[in-house]
Amino acid sequence: MPHKIGFVVVSSSGHEDGFSARELMIHAPTVSGWRSPRFCQFPQEIVLQMVERCRIRKLQLLAHQYMISSRVEFYISESLPEYFSPYQAERFRRLGYVSLCDNEMTGCKARELKSVYVDAVGQFLKLIFHENHANKYNVYNQVALVAINIIGDPADLGDESNIASREKLIDQYLGHNTEDPALEGTCTGKSDYISPLDDLAFDMYQDPEVAQIIRKLDERKREAVQKERYDYAKKLKQAIADLQKVGERLGRFEVEKRCAVEKEDYDLAKEKKQQMERYRGRAYARLQLHGLLDAELVRRPLGLPLQPLVPPGSPRHQPATLLPPPREEGVTENRFAEPLLQDKLSSHSLDTSQQPPVDQSLPATHPHLKTHLQSLPYDERPLPAIHKQPGAAAMEPEDGDMGMSEAPRGATAGEPEPLTEKALREASSAVDALGEALVAGAYSKTWSYREDALLALYKRLVEMPVGTPKEDLKSAVRASIFLIRRAIRDIVMPVFQASLKLLKMVITQYIPKHKLSKLDTTYCVERTVPVLLTRTGDSSARLRIVASNFIQEIALFKDVKSLQMIPCYLVQPLKTNASTHLALSQMDLLARLLKDLGTNDTGFTVDNVMKFSVGALEHRVYEVRETAVRIILDMYKHHRALTLDYLPPDDSSTRKNVLYKTIFEGFAKLDGRPTEAEVRAQKKVATEEAEKRKKDEIKALQGQLAALKETQAEVQEKESEVTKAKDPDAQGRKAAPPNTPEALDTHCLDNLCIFCGERSDSFTEEGLDLHYWKHCLMLARCDHCRQVVEIASLTEHLLTECDKKDGFGKCYRCNEAVLKEELPKHIKTRDCNPAKPEKLANRCPLCHENFTPGEEAWKAHLMGAAGCTMNPRRTHVPHQPGELGKRPSHEQIRDLRSKGWEQDPHPKGRPESQLWQDIHETMT
């Protein structure tokens, strides 16, 4: 099975001081690698000798971020050529070349890991570096190589002469013997399988000591598989995953320490060193707790030096010493589980934010392991928890389990039980920042301990001094949010309320007090609000109310309001499978916050609110749909035109949907327009009133006709008596009876205006036409159709008879006819004073005033001295009135009009006698 092949550097064409090609023999986070001399001649050459003759399967090159060769060629040979060994004339055979990226895409801030698969046999490998890529950072036109890795299989030549040298090279390079199976990868049963532990990325980002332990554990895992101890193999597998994370973090700490030393910031370097010791001690203590760590695993890989290999005369030179062989110890099987860390095998560019700089040159200092074992030195005991560094990745689970599935390791009476292994892995970052005792209380099965832990954390954060380092402040915030998220899911109300109290303090007091950035507030909101929203769908009504009120309260805080995050959570479309309580709570919270915040730079916009609300109209729950209607109506109050763009047109087909009918009727009420139901009701009432008024007019007209006949009979009787007294013989000579309609007509309607009651000798047929057209105070010309109509019926004419009647609407307040486009504006004017019922008052369409009801009141209002001031004909001085005859009543005239009588006050081409005849026929 292919594995990593050790090698030594035989020669190189040159190097810059401090960056010898011998450094390529070291794989560690802090290596600098090889650099060519400044302004060198190209090509540059390096020759490597492998520990044995082998079949090379894979070559890996880690290039520099800006000292990049345009092309690298590979040559292989069974032995050295004659210019190295005069007795052997073997020459190198060319394998090919690879081109390296110029790194312009990343701004020369990333290093390229190039993997090349080959199949070649030999013991010597030569690399030829061609001219460099030009960039502004490489001012000396150099090329560099950070690391090279060779993976292959030993080639069986039957030559025993090189065994001693091979073992020597392995011991120098890896620190263990040639039979070490750790380099063989995992046991997969495939002959061409390459273990991730042999990949160059593993060594370049792992602490060397931890990498040594991982390889040993991998060896034991394969032995356990062979012995079919699968449970134990599973524990070892998860332990390896844990250690990979530990090794990566320790590697970053080592790089930070080296940077601090280069800047001569020795306080920071000392702090990083202590931080590494504490973190390493905690990791090893966990392994020892489960019997997975012994003295054999803890031995230092000093055979693999961490400092660059330089000539002995250099001040950077440090000799490497080997440790004695370790002793074997038994290992017990205990649970130690965590998901595997994904392998970092890649042939693409690697970001320098995850890689150590290549310019580090100072030697590394390795702290000793601290455990509780008596067999280990005194200074190898575990140290207390450390604060989480900002560069460290937060190992916080997305969804923590509320129940404890693993049995505790034991608990003291009156104290929370210790953390289980699963909980310890989940809360590792919180333990580092807050201490294991407090986190154990937050994870306790007893709710009172969980509440006490949150209150204790509250007190600690409140009392934290202002001068605390920012890194510690931020670590405390993230650890607190981790525990708050867990407590928000708690089913016990006091614990839930304690988590809300702590969260409110962190956002409203802790962050402003210590002047932390908006990023910390954003972190708090985005980690907690989605969990809180899920609790608004809880089966407990009290918990739902508390969660909703808290979200509303925190959304109005100025620092959270400026983030505009909570509104964005609320306008997310409702899921079809979401619970009814959750949907109702989200709708209610949205409606409340929309009133509090509005839509101006708050995260709420007309677009996202209307799309959400229109979608909610299709929800299966009636209360959700009802709330959506309420939100749409509220949006219409402030954004009328924009709101209509998201709704279908207001037509009969749309109104078949009850929700849309309700919405459009609500719009009508907001605009001051009558709704469809109100219009139908008004029409029904108007029809009933018209029928009733018609019956009353007919009854009054019949009474007036009876009185007119009685008066006429008395007049005829008096005239007959006078005639008999003057000429008794003339009675028999009468040609016609005196009570004929022609005589009655001549007596009543000669020279009389039937509207205002004025009688004048000038009122002939033409004179009455002129009087009706210009002077009668009871009449007015319609401005829209130029027809002369009674002022009392002007409103009815505009609504039902005028040629422009479609453009008028009836105001629901004053009952007058108003142009439809001016109706909203009309409602706000002084002229729109409420009308009284018709039985209580008449309504003048000219001055818009209410006055005494009845027919005679119209005559007094329009013709009296203190009457309507808006009558345009009041300025006209009428003819000197003669005798005013008794005009037909207004009810009579209106009844005549309803029965088909001509609208024009005086029908042209017909004598006035015929007019009275029509009146008589209509009434009879």
Side-chain angles (χ1 to χ4, degrees):
M1 185 169 62
H3 61 270
K4 178 177 289 191
I5 303 296
F7 61 87
V8 293
V9 176
V10 175
S11 68
S12 67
S13 55
H15 61 84
E16 185 179 358
D17 291 342
F19 298 95
S20 169
R22 290 173 58 88
E23 294 205 16
L24 296 175
M25 298 162 56
I26 307 165
H27 293 171
T30 56
V31 297
S32 301
W34 167 80
R35 291 186 187 178
S36 69
R38 298 180 179 182
F39 301 112
C40 62
Q41 296 293 326
F42 291 100
Q44 290 288 303
E45 180 180 302
I46 296 176
V47 178
L48 308 177
Q49 179 182 0
M50 289 167 279
V51 296
E52 60 183 338
R53 182 177 181 272
C54 63
R55 180 182 296 274
I56 301 176
R57 299 297 183 89
K58 183 177 181 181
L59 295 173
Q60 290 184 296
L61 302 178
L62 183 58
H64 195 270
Q65 59 264 36
Y66 58 85
M67 299 181 186
I68 308 170
S69 175
S70 60
R71 187 173 64 176
V72 180
E73 292 187 71
F74 301 96
Y75 292 83
I76 194 168
S77 174
E78 295 284 352
S79 60
L80 288 176
E82 57 184 5
Y83 54 83
F84 284 110
S85 177
Y87 303 104
Q88 298 181 6
E90 180 78 21
R91 292 187 176 276
F92 283 96
R93 179 169 54 90
R94 187 175 185 271
L95 297 179
Y97 72 92
V98 293
S99 299
L100 299 178
C101 177
D102 59 9
N103 222 3
E104 291 182 357
M105 294 291 292
T106 64
C108 296
K109 294 182 179 180
R111 300 187 299 192
E112 182 179 9
L113 177 62
K114 200 76 169 183
S115 296
V116 183
Y117 291 90
V118 296
D119 188 3
V121 178
Q123 191 172 1
F124 293 90
L125 181 68
K126 181 168 67 173
L127 286 74
I128 296 180
F129 299 86
H130 291 266
E131 191 172 353
N132 64 288
H133 287 293
N135 57 67
K136 63 181 180 180
Y137 302 103
N138 192 2
V139 294
Y140 301 115
N141 294 333
Q142 295 172 278
V143 292
L145 184 64
V146 179
I148 181 172
N149 189 32
I150 304 174
I151 298 177
D153 297 315
D156 185 15
L157 293 178
D159 188 3
E160 303 293 339
S161 61
N162 61 346
I163 294 179
S165 61
R166 181 176 68 240
E167 291 180 351
K168 181 178 179 181
L169 287 173
I170 293 177
D171 288 340
Q172 179 183 358
Y173 180 69
L174 298 177
H176 50 75
N177 57 34
T178 57
E179 303 300 326
D180 185 5
L183 297 178
E184 295 180 2
T186 57
C187 182
T188 62
K190 297 181 180 180
S191 60
D192 58 347
Y193 174 77
I194 299 176
S195 170
L197 304 183
D198 291 331
D199 195 272
L200 182 59
F202 175 78
D203 282 320
M204 294 304 295
Y205 302 112
Q206 285 286 334
D207 177 76
E209 181 179 325
V210 175
Q212 176 89 349
I213 297 175
I214 290 175
R215 286 190 170 95
K216 290 291 186 180
L217 291 179
D218 187 67
E219 176 186 355
R220 294 184 179 180
K221 181 189 70 174
R222 286 186 282 109
E223 291 176 356
V225 172
Q226 291 176 359
K227 297 178 181 179
E228 298 186 352
R229 299 173 62 191
Y230 299 119
D231 290 337
Y232 181 43
K234 179 180 178 182
K235 275 56 170 185
L236 289 170
K237 173 185 174 183
Q238 304 306 331
I240 290 173
D242 281 335
L243 282 174
Q244 285 179 330
K245 295 181 180 179
V246 172
E248 289 179 356
R249 184 174 296 186
L250 288 173
R252 285 194 294 268
F253 287 162
E254 180 66 25
V255 172
E256 293 170 1
K257 184 184 71 174
R258 291 289 185 91
C259 291
V261 172
E262 286 188 349
K263 296 177 182 178
E264 296 187 353
D265 187 354
Y266 300 116
D267 292 334
L268 179 59
K270 180 180 178 181
E271 179 185 349
K272 292 297 180 182
K273 175 183 176 181
Q274 295 174 350
Q275 197 171 24
M276 290 176 63
E277 291 176 350
R278 290 194 296 266
Y279 189 73
R280 191 188 302 272
R282 286 192 57 83
Y284 289 172
R286 293 177 189 174
L287 285 176
Q288 179 59 40
L289 184 64
H290 300 280
L292 296 176
L293 188 67
D294 51 28
E296 177 187 359
L297 297 180
V298 181
R299 71 186 183 96
R300 300 294 172 181
L302 297 181
L304 178 63
L306 295 184
Q307 68 276 10
L309 297 178
V310 294
S314 173
R316 298 170 54 209
H317 172 72
Q318 289 185 1
T321 59
L322 295 177
L323 288 179
R327 60 186 178 88
E328 294 289 334
E329 293 187 4
V331 179
T332 58
E333 298 184 17
N334 287 294
R335 182 177 181 84
F336 194 84
E338 185 173 2
L340 282 171
L341 180 69
Q342 292 184 351
D343 298 329
K344 296 185 176 291
L345 180 62
S346 172
S347 296
H348 302 285
S349 297
L350 303 177
D351 195 338
T352 55
S353 63
Q354 300 177 354
Q355 303 180 19
V358 297
D359 298 332
Q360 310 306 322
S361 59
L362 294 178
T365 302
H366 288 274
H368 292 287
L369 175 67
K370 297 172 175 60
T371 67
H372 292 291
L373 293 178
Q374 296 296 331
S375 61
L376 296 178
Y378 170 77
D379 60 346
E380 295 187 355
R381 296 177 303 174
L383 296 177
I386 62 173
H387 292 291
K388 176 173 177 260
Q389 296 300 313
M395 294 181 290
E396 180 177 321
E398 189 63 29
D399 294 315
D401 297 332
M402 292 306 302
M404 305 300 180
S405 60
E406 299 184 44
R409 299 192 302 269
T412 306
E415 295 182 359
E417 61 273 12
L419 292 171
T420 62
E421 295 312 319
K422 180 180 179 182
L424 197 59
R425 287 193 302 275
E426 281 183 358
S428 59
S429 58
V431 170
D432 292 343
L434 304 176
E436 187 170 352
L438 192 147
V439 177
Y443 270 76
S444 175
K445 291 184 178 180
T446 305
W447 69 266
S448 59
Y449 289 149
R450 300 198 296 271
E451 182 185 15
D452 292 342
L454 294 175
L455 297 178
L457 179 56
Y458 181 96
K459 183 178 179 181
R460 178 188 295 188
L461 295 181
V462 169
E463 296 175 353
M464 188 169 289
V466 177
T468 307
K470 293 292 185 181
E471 293 181 0
D472 295 343
L473 294 173
K474 292 181 179 180
S475 298
V477 168
R478 279 157 174 74
S480 301
I481 294 301
F482 172 75
L483 297 181
I484 288 171
R485 276 171 55 88
R486 180 180 176 85
I488 287 176
R489 298 188 181 96
D490 205 301
I491 61 175
V492 180
M493 193 65 182
V495 179
F496 177 74
Q497 291 177 327
S499 68
L500 298 186
K501 178 182 178 182
L502 177 58
L503 177 60
K504 181 179 178 181
M505 186 275 296
V506 170
I507 295 177
T508 62
Q509 298 179 27
Y510 182 86
I511 293 179
K513 173 183 175 182
H514 298 286
K515 298 180 180 180
L516 298 181
S517 65
K518 280 189 176 182
L519 293 177
D520 298 288
T521 305
T522 302
Y523 179 83
C524 296
V525 173
E526 70 182 3
R527 297 295 293 169
T528 56
V529 170
V531 186
L532 270 173
L533 285 174
T534 60
R535 295 313 304 271
T536 59
D538 196 87
S539 58
S540 170
R542 180 187 175 193
L543 194 147
R544 292 198 304 270
I545 294 173
V546 171
S548 297
N549 292 340
F550 180 82
I551 294 175
Q552 183 181 12
E553 178 184 2
I554 208 68
L556 299 178
F557 182 63
K558 59 178 182 179
D559 290 344
V560 178
K561 181 180 178 181
S562 63
L563 298 177
Q564 302 182 12
M565 295 179 63
I566 296 181
C568 296
Y569 288 125
L570 295 178
V571 295
Q572 295 298 320
L574 296 174
K575 297 181 179 179
T576 55
N577 58 347
S579 67
T580 301
H581 293 313
L582 182 60
L584 286 174
S585 298
Q586 183 175 346
M587 294 296 298
D588 180 68
L589 193 55
L590 173 61
R592 287 189 286 165
L593 276 180
L594 191 59
K595 292 182 180 179
D596 294 336
L597 299 177
T599 56
N600 294 326
D601 297 330
T602 61
F604 287 127
T605 63
V606 177
D607 181 70
N608 60 25
V609 173
M610 285 302 300
K611 286 182 178 179
F612 172 82
S613 302
V614 172
L617 293 176
E618 307 296 330
H619 201 270
R620 68 182 189 279
V621 181
Y622 169 74
E623 290 81 1
V624 173
R625 300 194 298 269
E626 191 176 39
T627 307
V629 171
R630 190 168 71 249
I631 293 174
I632 293 175
L633 294 178
D634 188 63
M635 290 294 295
Y636 185 77
K637 291 180 182 178
H638 305 90
H639 311 280
R640 304 202 174 199
L642 295 176
T643 303
L644 294 175
D645 294 339
Y646 297 89
L647 298 173
D650 183 10
D651 50 28
S652 57
S653 61
T654 304
R655 284 182 176 263
K656 292 180 180 179
N657 188 314
V658 178
L659 290 175
Y660 285 114
K661 180 180 179 181
T662 305
I663 290 173
F664 288 122
E665 289 184 353
F667 291 168
K669 291 182 179 180
L670 294 175
D671 293 337
R673 298 180 283 110
T675 64
E676 185 177 358
E678 291 175 345
V679 171
R680 289 197 300 267
Q682 290 177 358
K683 288 183 178 180
K684 182 178 180 181
V685 172
T687 303
E688 293 176 353
E689 291 179 353
E691 292 293 335
K692 183 178 180 182
R693 189 167 53 250
K694 179 179 178 181
K695 293 179 181 179
D696 293 341
E697 288 176 354
I698 293 175
K699 184 177 180 180
L701 191 60
Q702 290 175 348
Q704 291 178 3
L705 182 59
L708 185 62
K709 289 181 178 180
E710 183 178 354
T711 302
Q712 185 66 27
E714 292 177 357
V715 171
Q716 290 178 355
E717 184 178 355
K718 289 180 181 180
E719 289 180 354
S720 63
E721 291 177 356
V722 171
T723 302
K724 288 179 181 180
K726 291 182 179 181
D727 190 4
D729 298 331
Q731 182 177 4
R733 296 195 300 268
K734 278 196 174 185
N739 56 351
T740 60
E742 290 78 1
L744 184 62
D745 180 33
T746 301
H747 180 77
C748 295
L749 299 177
D750 284 346
N751 304 324
L752 174 68
C753 175
I754 62 174
F755 298 99
C756 64
E758 181 181 356
R759 188 184 295 273
S760 174
D761 293 334
S762 62
F763 287 175
T764 62
E765 182 176 355
E766 290 77 15
L768 280 175
D769 285 342
L770 181 64
H771 174 74
Y772 294 151
W773 186 253
K774 288 187 176 182
H775 307 301
C776 183
L777 298 179
M778 301 295 291
L779 304 176
R781 275 183 294 176
C782 176
D783 293 334
H784 302 279
C785 65
R786 311 301 296 170
Q787 190 174 4
V788 177
V789 296
E790 289 185 78
I791 296 175
S793 60
L794 178 59
T795 298
E796 184 178 358
H797 165 77
L798 291 174
L799 293 175
T800 60
E801 300 172 352
C802 182
D803 295 339
K804 306 293 184 181
K805 62 183 178 180
D806 294 333
F808 284 87
K810 187 175 183 181
C811 177
Y812 71 95
R813 291 180 61 193
C814 61
N815 292 336
E816 292 185 18
V818 183
L819 290 173
K820 291 182 179 180
E821 59 267 22
E822 298 178 0
L823 189 58
K825 182 179 179 181
H826 162 77
I827 297 175
K828 301 178 181 179
T829 61
R830 294 182 178 180
D831 295 338
C832 185
N833 56 340
K836 296 181 180 180
E838 194 169 292
K839 293 183 178 180
L840 300 179
N842 290 329
R843 175 78 178 190
C844 177
L846 302 180
C847 64
H848 313 293
E849 296 293 333
N850 300 317
F851 56 89
T852 309
E855 182 66 25
E856 294 300 322
W858 275 107
K859 189 173 182 180
H861 176 73
L862 295 174
M863 300 176 63
C868 180
T869 58
M870 302 301 294
N871 191 342
R873 296 187 179 186
R874 285 183 64 84
T875 58
H876 169 69
V877 180
H879 299 289
Q880 294 296 330
E883 179 186 359
L884 295 178
K886 185 174 182 180
R887 58 160 287 185
S889 67
H890 185 62
E891 287 79 2
Q892 289 177 316
I893 301 303
R894 185 175 297 173
D895 185 60
L896 292 175
R897 189 176 291 113
S898 66
K899 293 189 176 183
W901 188 55
E902 193 70 31
Q903 176 66 29
D904 195 345
H906 186 76
K908 297 180 180 180
R910 299 168 62 191
E912 294 183 74
S913 58
Q914 185 63 37
L915 174 64
W916 176 250
Q917 182 66 28
D918 293 343
I919 295 174
H920 179 73
E921 291 177 356
T922 301
M923 291 187 298
T924 56

Short mmCIF file of all heavy atoms in Angstrom, two decimals, residues 296-322:
data_model
loop_
_atom_site.label_atom_id
_atom_site.label_comp_id
_atom_site.label_asym_id
_atom_site.label_seq_id
_atom_site.Cartn_x
_atom_site.Cartn_y
_atom_site.Cartn_z
N GLU A 296 3.82 5.71 25.66
CA GLU A 296 4.30 5.45 24.30
C GLU A 296 3.81 6.51 23.33
O GLU A 296 4.53 6.92 22.43
CB GLU A 296 3.83 4.07 23.84
CG GLU A 296 4.24 3.75 22.41
CD GLU A 296 3.62 2.46 21.92
OE1 GLU A 296 2.90 1.82 22.71
OE2 GLU A 296 3.87 2.10 20.76
N LEU A 297 2.56 6.96 23.52
CA LEU A 297 2.00 7.95 22.61
C LEU A 297 2.51 9.34 22.91
O LEU A 297 2.49 10.21 22.03
CB LEU A 297 0.47 7.93 22.71
CG LEU A 297 -0.21 6.63 22.29
CD1 LEU A 297 -1.72 6.78 22.43
CD2 LEU A 297 0.14 6.28 20.86
N VAL A 298 2.93 9.60 24.14
CA VAL A 298 3.27 10.95 24.55
C VAL A 298 4.70 11.31 24.22
O VAL A 298 5.11 12.44 24.31
CB VAL A 298 3.01 11.12 26.07
CG1 VAL A 298 3.33 12.51 26.54
CG2 VAL A 298 1.56 10.78 26.37
N ARG A 299 5.52 10.35 23.81
CA ARG A 299 6.93 10.66 23.59
C ARG A 299 7.07 11.70 22.48
O ARG A 299 6.31 11.73 21.53
CB ARG A 299 7.70 9.39 23.21
CG ARG A 299 7.42 8.82 21.83
CD ARG A 299 8.14 7.50 21.65
NE ARG A 299 7.94 6.98 20.31
CZ ARG A 299 8.79 7.17 19.33
NH1 ARG A 299 9.87 7.90 19.54
NH2 ARG A 299 8.58 6.64 18.13
N ARG A 300 8.06 12.59 22.65
CA ARG A 300 8.24 13.70 21.73
C ARG A 300 8.86 13.22 20.41
O ARG A 300 9.83 12.47 20.43
CB ARG A 300 9.16 14.75 22.35
CG ARG A 300 8.62 15.31 23.65
CD ARG A 300 7.36 16.09 23.39
NE ARG A 300 6.72 16.49 24.63
CZ ARG A 300 5.61 17.16 24.69
NH1 ARG A 300 5.00 17.49 23.58
NH2 ARG A 300 5.08 17.49 25.84
N PRO A 301 8.34 13.66 19.33
CA PRO A 301 8.94 13.29 18.04
C PRO A 301 10.14 14.17 17.72
O PRO A 301 10.16 14.89 16.74
CB PRO A 301 7.80 13.52 17.06
CG PRO A 301 7.04 14.65 17.66
CD PRO A 301 7.13 14.47 19.15
N LEU A 302 11.11 14.15 18.66
CA LEU A 302 12.26 15.02 18.43
C LEU A 302 13.12 14.52 17.28
O LEU A 302 14.02 15.21 16.82
CB LEU A 302 13.10 15.11 19.71
CG LEU A 302 12.35 15.76 20.88
CD1 LEU A 302 13.28 15.84 22.09
CD2 LEU A 302 11.85 17.14 20.50
N GLY A 303 12.91 13.28 16.87
CA GLY A 303 13.60 12.83 15.67
C GLY A 303 13.15 13.61 14.45
O GLY A 303 13.81 13.64 13.43
N LEU A 304 11.98 14.27 14.56
CA LEU A 304 11.48 15.15 13.50
C LEU A 304 11.58 16.57 14.02
O LEU A 304 10.66 17.07 14.64
CB LEU A 304 10.04 14.80 13.15
CG LEU A 304 9.37 15.66 12.08
CD1 LEU A 304 10.11 15.49 10.76
CD2 LEU A 304 7.92 15.29 11.93
N PRO A 305 12.68 17.24 13.86
CA PRO A 305 12.86 18.56 14.47
C PRO A 305 11.88 19.56 13.90
O PRO A 305 11.48 19.48 12.75
CB PRO A 305 14.30 18.91 14.10
CG PRO A 305 14.60 18.10 12.89
CD PRO A 305 13.80 16.84 13.03
N LEU A 306 11.47 20.49 14.77
CA LEU A 306 10.53 21.52 14.35
C LEU A 306 11.23 22.75 13.79
O LEU A 306 10.61 23.59 13.17
CB LEU A 306 9.64 21.93 15.53
CG LEU A 306 8.73 20.83 16.04
CD1 LEU A 306 7.84 21.36 17.13
CD2 LEU A 306 7.92 20.25 14.92
N GLN A 307 12.54 22.89 14.11
CA GLN A 307 13.25 24.03 13.57
C GLN A 307 13.89 23.63 12.23
O GLN A 307 14.18 22.47 11.98
CB GLN A 307 14.32 24.53 14.54
CG GLN A 307 15.48 23.55 14.74
CD GLN A 307 15.15 22.51 15.77
OE1 GLN A 307 14.01 22.41 16.19
NE2 GLN A 307 16.15 21.74 16.16
N PRO A 308 14.14 24.61 11.37
CA PRO A 308 14.76 24.29 10.08
C PRO A 308 16.15 23.72 10.29
O PRO A 308 16.86 24.05 11.24
CB PRO A 308 14.81 25.64 9.37
CG PRO A 308 13.76 26.47 10.06
CD PRO A 308 13.74 26.00 11.48
N LEU A 309 16.54 22.83 9.36
CA LEU A 309 17.89 22.27 9.39
C LEU A 309 18.83 23.24 8.72
O LEU A 309 18.68 23.57 7.54
CB LEU A 309 17.91 20.92 8.67
CG LEU A 309 17.04 19.83 9.31
CD1 LEU A 309 17.12 18.58 8.46
CD2 LEU A 309 17.47 19.55 10.74
N VAL A 310 19.80 23.73 9.48
CA VAL A 310 20.75 24.71 8.97
C VAL A 310 22.14 24.21 9.26
O VAL A 310 22.33 23.30 10.09
CB VAL A 310 20.51 26.08 9.62
CG1 VAL A 310 19.16 26.62 9.22
CG2 VAL A 310 20.59 25.96 11.14
N PRO A 311 23.12 24.75 8.64
CA PRO A 311 24.50 24.31 8.90
C PRO A 311 24.85 24.47 10.36
O PRO A 311 24.34 25.36 11.05
CB PRO A 311 25.34 25.22 8.00
CG PRO A 311 24.41 25.65 6.93
CD PRO A 311 23.06 25.71 7.55
N PRO A 312 25.73 23.60 10.90
CA PRO A 312 26.07 23.67 12.32
C PRO A 312 26.63 25.00 12.74
O PRO A 312 26.46 25.41 13.89
CB PRO A 312 27.10 22.54 12.48
CG PRO A 312 26.85 21.62 11.33
CD PRO A 312 26.38 22.48 10.21
N GLY A 313 27.24 25.71 11.87
CA GLY A 313 27.82 26.98 12.26
C GLY A 313 26.81 28.09 12.41
O GLY A 313 27.12 29.16 12.91
N SER A 314 25.57 27.89 11.96
CA SER A 314 24.54 28.93 12.03
C SER A 314 24.07 29.10 13.46
O SER A 314 23.94 28.13 14.20
CB SER A 314 23.37 28.56 11.13
OG SER A 314 22.33 29.46 11.32
N PRO A 315 23.74 30.34 13.86
CA PRO A 315 23.22 30.55 15.23
C PRO A 315 21.86 29.91 15.42
O PRO A 315 21.40 29.76 16.54
CB PRO A 315 23.15 32.08 15.34
CG PRO A 315 23.11 32.57 13.94
CD PRO A 315 23.91 31.60 13.13
N ARG A 316 21.18 29.54 14.34
CA ARG A 316 19.85 28.93 14.48
C ARG A 316 19.94 27.43 14.65
O ARG A 316 18.94 26.75 14.79
CB ARG A 316 19.01 29.22 13.23
CG ARG A 316 18.76 30.70 13.00
CD ARG A 316 18.15 30.92 11.64
NE ARG A 316 16.97 30.13 11.49
CZ ARG A 316 16.53 29.68 10.31
NH1 ARG A 316 17.21 29.91 9.23
NH2 ARG A 316 15.42 28.97 10.24
N HIS A 317 21.14 26.88 14.61
CA HIS A 317 21.29 25.43 14.68
C HIS A 317 21.01 24.91 16.08
O HIS A 317 21.48 25.47 17.06
CB HIS A 317 22.70 25.04 14.25
CG HIS A 317 23.00 23.58 14.46
ND1 HIS A 317 22.43 22.60 13.69
CD2 HIS A 317 23.79 22.96 15.37
CE1 HIS A 317 22.87 21.41 14.09
NE2 HIS A 317 23.70 21.61 15.13
N GLN A 318 20.20 23.86 16.18
CA GLN A 318 19.94 23.17 17.44
C GLN A 318 20.04 21.68 17.18
O GLN A 318 19.38 21.16 16.28
CB GLN A 318 18.54 23.50 17.99
CG GLN A 318 18.43 24.93 18.51
CD GLN A 318 17.08 25.16 19.15
OE1 GLN A 318 16.28 24.25 19.22
NE2 GLN A 318 16.86 26.37 19.63
N PRO A 319 20.82 20.93 17.97
CA PRO A 319 20.94 19.49 17.73
C PRO A 319 19.69 18.76 18.10
O PRO A 319 18.97 19.15 19.00
CB PRO A 319 22.12 19.10 18.65
CG PRO A 319 22.11 20.13 19.73
CD PRO A 319 21.67 21.41 19.10
N ALA A 320 19.40 17.67 17.40
CA ALA A 320 18.22 16.84 17.67
C ALA A 320 18.65 15.61 18.43
O ALA A 320 19.66 14.98 18.11
CB ALA A 320 17.55 16.45 16.35
N THR A 321 17.89 15.29 19.45
CA THR A 321 18.18 14.11 20.26
C THR A 321 17.02 13.14 20.18
O THR A 321 15.88 13.55 20.00
CB THR A 321 18.39 14.51 21.74
OG1 THR A 321 17.23 15.16 22.20
CG2 THR A 321 19.59 15.45 21.87
N LEU A 322 17.31 11.86 20.33
CA LEU A 322 16.30 10.82 20.25
C LEU A 322 15.93 10.36 21.63
O LEU A 322 16.77 10.29 22.53
CB LEU A 322 16.82 9.65 19.42
CG LEU A 322 17.09 9.94 17.94
CD1 LEU A 322 17.68 8.70 17.29
CD2 LEU A 322 15.85 10.40 17.26
#
